[in-house]
Amino acid sequence: MPWNVALVADRISWEERELIRTAPDFGISVAWVNDEALCLGHPDAPSVRDYDALLLRSRSYTRGGLIATLAEAAGVPVLNSASAVHACENKAVLRAVLRAAGVPVPDFRLVLSRRDFEKSLDELELPLVLKPVYGGMGKRVTLIRHADTAQSVYDYVEDLGHAFEQACLVEPYLGGGTSVRCLVVGHELAGAAEFASGGADWRNNAALGNSSRAVRHDPDVLKIVDGVVAELGPGIYGIDLFGTPDGYVVNEVNHAPGFRAVASATGTDIASAVARYVQELVT
């Protein structure tokens, strides 16, 4: 009998299809479960109790941690763990956790108001990046090059309807148009690729269709990956790094990473690596 794993996601993309296709080779039957249809909270969690594990691929920055927490409370193993998902969902929390553990992160300021924003402009040098605390795929990440446009940019943040959306980070602009995505499975770095911004868009994010190329497993990169895994626990992560004159820093860690770009650039079978890791969890 195959092991039954629920792939909990808000949609099926290339990565989910690859996982569903590959899993039977490892004795695993994967079924997509919509993350809006679990209704968790019952101690026995009827919607997930028949699964041997949950593979959490929800892209929502509100649902993932909640689902993982309640599933774990019902005794169902979850990848990634609830504590890891909660840390990754919130960029400010993640950076505080990693910095306390000695993992290098960019300088940043938490901005919850225009007063915070104005102080961040005084304390950090332009150009600066304004980004939401909750969110991914490069959305709402704004480059501020000139002081005379900064206040107008913040007008858009201030007019957002919910405080959840208004929570932002301000940080120095790093990377020079490139970043390194490290795809981690378990304890290991499965593949690393450099993303480069293209065309008129300054952001370097695979979700935006930027170019990518494989990069070697640099010892400094491996050290940072080991530090992130030591703090968050083994799991499936997309760790994004920026290069600085003082070495790499962790920009963010994605708890439900897309991996098509890394797989394409490196030739690594990421889906099989994930399926093998899930197999280790359930056996």
Side-chain angles (χ1 to χ4, degrees):
M1 291 288 292
W3 300 97
N4 293 316
V5 172
L7 194 159
V8 179
D10 50 334
R11 61 182 179 179
I12 295 292
S13 297
W14 182 89
E15 287 82 357
E16 287 72 36
R17 290 194 295 271
E18 284 296 293
L19 290 168
I20 292 170
R21 180 186 64 81
T22 302
D25 295 340
F26 296 85
I28 300 170
S29 175
V30 172
W32 173 43
V33 176
N34 193 307
D35 65 3
E36 295 181 336
L38 293 173
C39 196
L40 293 172
H42 190 285
D44 294 329
S47 61
V48 296
R49 66 184 175 193
D50 292 331
Y51 292 103
D52 298 297
L54 303 188
L55 178 56
L56 189 59
R57 296 279 308 168
S58 175
R59 292 166 180 79
S60 167
Y61 277 74
T62 56
R63 300 172 193 164
L66 297 171
I67 291 169
T69 297
L70 294 177
E72 284 183 357
V76 181
V78 184
L79 284 175
N80 291 321
S81 71
S83 60
V85 174
H86 279 300
C88 294
E89 284 177 328
N90 184 313
K91 292 181 179 66
V93 168
L94 176 72
R95 291 191 179 182
V97 166
L98 294 182
R99 187 164 59 187
V103 178
V105 299
D107 193 8
F108 69 94
R109 299 294 184 272
L110 175 64
V111 170
L112 302 176
S113 66
R114 190 175 291 271
R115 181 177 296 178
D116 278 343
F117 182 64
E118 291 171 348
K119 287 183 178 179
S120 73
L121 296 178
D122 290 337
E123 295 180 10
L124 301 174
E125 293 184 5
L126 293 169
L128 296 170
V129 173
L130 175 69
K131 63 174 58 174
V133 167
Y134 306 96
M137 302 177 72
K139 294 183 178 180
R140 288 180 49 215
V141 180
T142 305
L143 177 59
I144 302 174
R145 296 186 185 274
H146 306 290
D148 59 356
T149 60
Q151 298 295 337
S152 296
V153 169
Y154 193 75
D155 287 344
Y156 288 93
V157 175
E158 202 168 52
D159 285 345
L160 292 170
H162 303 287
F164 178 88
E165 298 172 321
Q166 293 174 346
C168 293
L169 300 183
V170 169
E171 63 187 31
Y173 172 52
L174 301 174
T178 64
S179 65
V180 175
R181 162 60 65 93
C182 301
L183 207 295
V184 174
V185 180
H187 293 89
E188 305 296 329
L189 177 59
E194 181 183 80
F195 295 156
S197 57
D201 198 328
W202 66 274
R203 297 169 294 176
N204 43 77
N205 188 296
L208 302 174
N210 299 159
S211 62
S212 60
R213 66 177 182 87
V215 295
R216 63 187 180 90
H217 291 191
D218 186 296
D220 292 335
V221 170
L222 292 173
K223 182 179 179 181
I224 290 177
V225 167
D226 288 345
V228 172
V229 173
E231 187 61 28
L232 299 182
I236 303 162
Y237 304 113
I239 304 175
D240 290 338
L241 307 179
F242 286 147
T244 76
D246 297 321
Y248 287 107
V249 295
V250 177
N251 177 44
E252 61 183 67
V253 180
N254 194 313
H255 64 278
F259 53 81
R260 186 174 188 173
V262 173
S264 176
T266 64
T268 303
D269 187 349
I270 303 293
S272 289
V274 171
R276 189 177 299 110
Y277 182 54
V278 173
Q279 182 188 51
E280 294 173 2
L281 177 73
V282 298
T283 55

mmCIF file of all heavy atoms in Angstrom, residues 14-16 57 59 181-183 195 206 237-238 240 254-263 270:
data_model
loop_
_atom_site.group_PDB
_atom_site.id
_atom_site.type_symbol
_atom_site.label_atom_id
_atom_site.label_comp_id
_atom_site.label_asym_id
_atom_site.label_seq_id
_atom_site.Cartn_x
_atom_site.Cartn_y
_atom_site.Cartn_z
ATOM 1 N N TRP A 14 3.202 24.080 -11.966
ATOM 2 C CA TRP A 14 4.179 23.128 -12.495
ATOM 3 C C TRP A 14 4.793 22.285 -11.385
ATOM 4 O O TRP A 14 4.925 21.062 -11.520
ATOM 5 C CB TRP A 14 5.267 23.884 -13.261
ATOM 6 C CG TRP A 14 6.293 22.998 -13.890
ATOM 7 C CD1 TRP A 14 6.248 22.445 -15.138
ATOM 8 C CD2 TRP A 14 7.533 22.562 -13.302
ATOM 9 N NE1 TRP A 14 7.372 21.689 -15.365
ATOM 10 C CE2 TRP A 14 8.179 21.742 -14.263
ATOM 11 C CE3 TRP A 14 8.150 22.782 -12.076
ATOM 12 C CZ2 TRP A 14 9.420 21.152 -14.018
ATOM 13 C CZ3 TRP A 14 9.387 22.191 -11.822
ATOM 14 C CH2 TRP A 14 10.004 21.388 -12.790
ATOM 15 N N GLU A 15 5.161 22.921 -10.291
ATOM 16 C CA GLU A 15 5.811 22.197 -9.190
ATOM 17 C C GLU A 15 4.898 21.123 -8.607
ATOM 18 O O GLU A 15 5.329 19.993 -8.353
ATOM 19 C CB GLU A 15 6.232 23.175 -8.089
ATOM 20 C CG GLU A 15 7.413 24.040 -8.433
ATOM 21 C CD GLU A 15 7.055 25.263 -9.273
ATOM 22 O OE1 GLU A 15 5.871 25.419 -9.643
ATOM 23 O OE2 GLU A 15 7.952 26.059 -9.565
ATOM 24 N N GLU A 16 3.636 21.467 -8.395
ATOM 25 C CA GLU A 16 2.705 20.498 -7.820
ATOM 26 C C GLU A 16 2.465 19.331 -8.774
ATOM 27 O O GLU A 16 2.393 18.168 -8.349
ATOM 28 C CB GLU A 16 1.384 21.188 -7.474
ATOM 29 C CG GLU A 16 1.442 22.096 -6.253
ATOM 30 C CD GLU A 16 2.216 23.371 -6.498
ATOM 31 O OE1 GLU A 16 2.137 23.919 -7.629
ATOM 32 O OE2 GLU A 16 2.907 23.838 -5.572
ATOM 33 N N ARG A 57 1.971 23.405 0.487
ATOM 34 C CA ARG A 57 2.419 24.217 -0.636
ATOM 35 C C ARG A 57 1.542 25.453 -0.816
ATOM 36 O O ARG A 57 1.539 26.071 -1.874
ATOM 37 C CB ARG A 57 2.384 23.381 -1.926
ATOM 38 C CG ARG A 57 3.328 22.204 -1.955
ATOM 39 C CD ARG A 57 4.733 22.606 -2.319
ATOM 40 N NE ARG A 57 4.773 23.393 -3.536
ATOM 41 C CZ ARG A 57 5.858 24.053 -3.947
ATOM 42 N NH1 ARG A 57 6.963 24.040 -3.211
ATOM 43 N NH2 ARG A 57 5.838 24.733 -5.079
ATOM 44 N N ARG A 59 0.480 29.066 -0.993
ATOM 45 C CA ARG A 59 1.224 30.301 -1.224
ATOM 46 C C ARG A 59 0.688 31.463 -0.393
ATOM 47 O O ARG A 59 1.254 32.556 -0.424
ATOM 48 C CB ARG A 59 1.193 30.648 -2.713
ATOM 49 C CG ARG A 59 1.980 29.653 -3.565
ATOM 50 C CD ARG A 59 1.657 29.820 -5.047
ATOM 51 N NE ARG A 59 2.384 28.885 -5.883
ATOM 52 C CZ ARG A 59 2.064 27.613 -6.061
ATOM 53 N NH1 ARG A 59 0.998 27.105 -5.440
ATOM 54 N NH2 ARG A 59 2.781 26.828 -6.839
ATOM 55 N N ARG A 181 19.172 31.970 -5.528
ATOM 56 C CA ARG A 181 18.138 31.148 -4.910
ATOM 57 C C ARG A 181 18.723 29.774 -4.596
ATOM 58 O O ARG A 181 19.215 29.077 -5.487
ATOM 59 C CB ARG A 181 16.930 31.014 -5.835
ATOM 60 C CG ARG A 181 15.954 29.868 -5.557
ATOM 61 C CD ARG A 181 15.297 29.917 -4.175
ATOM 62 N NE ARG A 181 14.424 31.052 -3.986
ATOM 63 C CZ ARG A 181 13.107 31.021 -4.216
ATOM 64 N NH1 ARG A 181 12.537 29.925 -4.691
ATOM 65 N NH2 ARG A 181 12.370 32.085 -3.982
ATOM 66 N N CYS A 182 18.680 29.411 -3.330
ATOM 67 C CA CYS A 182 19.148 28.109 -2.872
ATOM 68 C C CYS A 182 17.936 27.250 -2.551
ATOM 69 O O CYS A 182 17.121 27.630 -1.706
ATOM 70 C CB CYS A 182 20.025 28.257 -1.624
ATOM 71 S SG CYS A 182 21.479 29.291 -1.862
ATOM 72 N N LEU A 183 17.809 26.113 -3.206
ATOM 73 C CA LEU A 183 16.694 25.211 -2.973
ATOM 74 C C LEU A 183 17.162 24.113 -2.030
ATOM 75 O O LEU A 183 18.033 23.314 -2.377
ATOM 76 C CB LEU A 183 16.204 24.635 -4.302
ATOM 77 C CG LEU A 183 14.734 24.209 -4.397
ATOM 78 C CD1 LEU A 183 14.405 23.053 -3.491
ATOM 79 C CD2 LEU A 183 13.827 25.394 -4.134
ATOM 80 N N PHE A 195 19.560 34.478 -10.157
ATOM 81 C CA PHE A 195 18.512 35.151 -10.908
ATOM 82 C C PHE A 195 18.981 36.552 -11.256
ATOM 83 O O PHE A 195 19.550 37.250 -10.405
ATOM 84 C CB PHE A 195 17.213 35.248 -10.106
ATOM 85 C CG PHE A 195 16.576 33.919 -9.801
ATOM 86 C CD1 PHE A 195 15.715 33.777 -8.718
ATOM 87 C CD2 PHE A 195 16.828 32.809 -10.585
ATOM 88 C CE1 PHE A 195 15.115 32.550 -8.440
ATOM 89 C CE2 PHE A 195 16.243 31.585 -10.314
ATOM 90 C CZ PHE A 195 15.378 31.460 -9.236
ATOM 91 N N ALA A 206 12.217 34.749 -9.881
ATOM 92 C CA ALA A 206 11.867 33.774 -10.915
ATOM 93 C C ALA A 206 10.405 33.886 -11.323
ATOM 94 O O ALA A 206 10.042 33.611 -12.469
ATOM 95 C CB ALA A 206 12.162 32.360 -10.426
ATOM 96 N N TYR A 237 12.931 24.518 1.514
ATOM 97 C CA TYR A 237 13.023 25.971 1.563
ATOM 98 C C TYR A 237 13.626 26.533 0.286
ATOM 99 O O TYR A 237 14.484 25.915 -0.341
ATOM 100 C CB TYR A 237 13.925 26.427 2.725
ATOM 101 C CG TYR A 237 13.536 25.923 4.082
ATOM 102 C CD1 TYR A 237 14.347 25.021 4.767
ATOM 103 C CD2 TYR A 237 12.370 26.356 4.710
ATOM 104 C CE1 TYR A 237 14.000 24.555 6.030
ATOM 105 C CE2 TYR A 237 12.018 25.896 5.969
ATOM 106 C CZ TYR A 237 12.841 24.987 6.628
ATOM 107 O OH TYR A 237 12.497 24.531 7.875
ATOM 108 N N GLY A 238 13.188 27.727 -0.057
ATOM 109 C CA GLY A 238 13.878 28.536 -1.043
ATOM 110 C C GLY A 238 14.538 29.681 -0.305
ATOM 111 O O GLY A 238 13.854 30.559 0.231
ATOM 112 N N ASP A 240 16.805 32.907 -0.416
ATOM 113 C CA ASP A 240 17.269 33.921 -1.360
ATOM 114 C C ASP A 240 18.385 34.743 -0.731
ATOM 115 O O ASP A 240 18.216 35.313 0.365
ATOM 116 C CB ASP A 240 16.118 34.841 -1.762
ATOM 117 C CG ASP A 240 15.093 34.130 -2.629
ATOM 118 O OD1 ASP A 240 15.462 33.110 -3.250
ATOM 119 O OD2 ASP A 240 13.940 34.578 -2.675
ATOM 120 N N ASN A 254 11.620 31.179 1.666
ATOM 121 C CA ASN A 254 10.274 30.825 1.220
ATOM 122 C C ASN A 254 9.948 29.422 1.721
ATOM 123 O O ASN A 254 10.702 28.491 1.483
ATOM 124 C CB ASN A 254 10.204 30.884 -0.309
ATOM 125 C CG ASN A 254 8.787 30.860 -0.828
ATOM 126 O OD1 ASN A 254 7.977 30.045 -0.403
ATOM 127 N ND2 ASN A 254 8.497 31.737 -1.764
ATOM 128 N N HIS A 255 8.803 29.281 2.383
ATOM 129 C CA HIS A 255 8.425 27.985 2.964
ATOM 130 C C HIS A 255 7.680 27.089 1.976
ATOM 131 O O HIS A 255 7.462 25.908 2.265
ATOM 132 C CB HIS A 255 7.554 28.203 4.206
ATOM 133 C CG HIS A 255 6.242 28.859 3.908
ATOM 134 N ND1 HIS A 255 6.125 30.219 3.773
ATOM 135 C CD2 HIS A 255 5.000 28.360 3.716
ATOM 136 C CE1 HIS A 255 4.866 30.526 3.512
ATOM 137 N NE2 HIS A 255 4.159 29.423 3.474
ATOM 138 N N ALA A 256 7.271 27.631 0.847
ATOM 139 C CA ALA A 256 6.611 26.836 -0.200
ATOM 140 C C ALA A 256 7.207 27.252 -1.535
ATOM 141 O O ALA A 256 6.517 27.818 -2.391
ATOM 142 C CB ALA A 256 5.097 27.043 -0.178
ATOM 143 N N PRO A 257 8.489 26.994 -1.730
ATOM 144 C CA PRO A 257 9.194 27.603 -2.860
ATOM 145 C C PRO A 257 8.822 27.013 -4.209
ATOM 146 O O PRO A 257 8.628 25.806 -4.354
ATOM 147 C CB PRO A 257 10.670 27.307 -2.542
ATOM 148 C CG PRO A 257 10.625 26.018 -1.772
ATOM 149 C CD PRO A 257 9.375 26.132 -0.935
ATOM 150 N N GLY A 258 8.740 27.878 -5.194
ATOM 151 C CA GLY A 258 8.749 27.400 -6.565
ATOM 152 C C GLY A 258 10.149 26.907 -6.877
ATOM 153 O O GLY A 258 11.126 27.462 -6.374
ATOM 154 N N PHE A 259 10.244 25.865 -7.692
ATOM 155 C CA PHE A 259 11.587 25.351 -7.985
ATOM 156 C C PHE A 259 11.803 25.063 -9.469
ATOM 157 O O PHE A 259 12.820 24.481 -9.846
ATOM 158 C CB PHE A 259 11.890 24.101 -7.155
ATOM 159 C CG PHE A 259 10.867 22.991 -7.236
ATOM 160 C CD1 PHE A 259 10.852 22.109 -8.301
ATOM 161 C CD2 PHE A 259 9.940 22.811 -6.210
ATOM 162 C CE1 PHE A 259 9.922 21.074 -8.368
ATOM 163 C CE2 PHE A 259 9.004 21.778 -6.257
ATOM 164 C CZ PHE A 259 9.003 20.906 -7.345
ATOM 165 N N ARG A 260 10.895 25.500 -10.291
ATOM 166 C CA ARG A 260 11.047 25.236 -11.730
ATOM 167 C C ARG A 260 12.310 25.900 -12.284
ATOM 168 O O ARG A 260 13.062 25.284 -13.063
ATOM 169 C CB ARG A 260 9.824 25.727 -12.486
ATOM 170 C CG ARG A 260 9.837 25.376 -13.964
ATOM 171 C CD ARG A 260 8.532 25.756 -14.636
ATOM 172 N NE ARG A 260 8.456 25.265 -16.001
ATOM 173 C CZ ARG A 260 7.368 25.351 -16.765
ATOM 174 N NH1 ARG A 260 6.265 25.898 -16.271
ATOM 175 N NH2 ARG A 260 7.382 24.879 -17.995
ATOM 176 N N ALA A 261 12.560 27.144 -11.890
ATOM 177 C CA ALA A 261 13.711 27.866 -12.425
ATOM 178 C C ALA A 261 15.020 27.223 -11.987
ATOM 179 O O ALA A 261 15.957 27.085 -12.786
ATOM 180 C CB ALA A 261 13.674 29.326 -11.993
ATOM 181 N N VAL A 262 15.112 26.814 -10.719
ATOM 182 C CA VAL A 262 16.334 26.164 -10.230
ATOM 183 C C VAL A 262 16.518 24.821 -10.914
ATOM 184 O O VAL A 262 17.629 24.452 -11.326
ATOM 185 C CB VAL A 262 16.298 26.005 -8.695
ATOM 186 C CG1 VAL A 262 17.480 25.174 -8.217
ATOM 187 C CG2 VAL A 262 16.305 27.364 -8.015
ATOM 188 N N ALA A 263 15.431 24.057 -11.057
ATOM 189 C CA ALA A 263 15.520 22.752 -11.718
ATOM 190 C C ALA A 263 15.975 22.910 -13.163
ATOM 191 O O ALA A 263 16.814 22.146 -13.655
ATOM 192 C CB ALA A 263 14.165 22.044 -11.657
ATOM 193 N N ILE A 270 14.440 18.206 -8.704
ATOM 194 C CA ILE A 270 14.005 18.672 -7.391
ATOM 195 C C ILE A 270 12.798 17.881 -6.907
ATOM 196 O O ILE A 270 12.700 17.541 -5.723
ATOM 197 C CB ILE A 270 13.670 20.174 -7.433
ATOM 198 C CG1 ILE A 270 14.875 20.996 -7.916
ATOM 199 C CG2 ILE A 270 13.198 20.640 -6.064
ATOM 200 C CD1 ILE A 270 16.040 21.006 -6.998
#
